[in-house]
Amino acid sequence: MTIKVVRGNPTPEELAAALAVVRARAAAAATAPPGAPQQRDGWSDPSRIATRRLPQPGPTTWARSYWPS
């Protein structure tokens, strides 16, 4: 595994801390049982794109339900 610093100039302590986090995550993923469910990240959560609610029934609902072709 190769890690490259693309931007900035980290101190040796900052670089060591970042590498410790990466190695700990890799070790945790390698020791997970094969049948364990994987954690879903936020990008695959469908609720993040459902920010608007659908119009509620009312006297003007018909006007908001028209989709021009």
Side-chain angles (χ1 to χ4, degrees):
M1 171 175 33
T2 303
I3 296 178
K4 179 180 177 182
V5 177
V6 180
R7 188 180 290 172
N9 191 12
T11 64
E13 292 83 15
E14 292 171 335
L15 193 55
L19 289 175
V21 170
V22 170
R23 291 186 69 184
R25 292 286 306 247
T31 59
Q38 294 187 358
Q39 183 179 4
R40 296 176 66 186
D41 61 355
W43 288 104
S44 63
D45 185 13
S47 67
R48 74 174 179 84
I49 60 172
T51 57
R52 295 187 339 174
R53 294 180 49 155
L54 294 174
Q56 298 299 313
T60 60
T61 304
W62 64 270
R64 292 180 285 177
S65 65
Y66 174 69
W67 287 83
S69 54

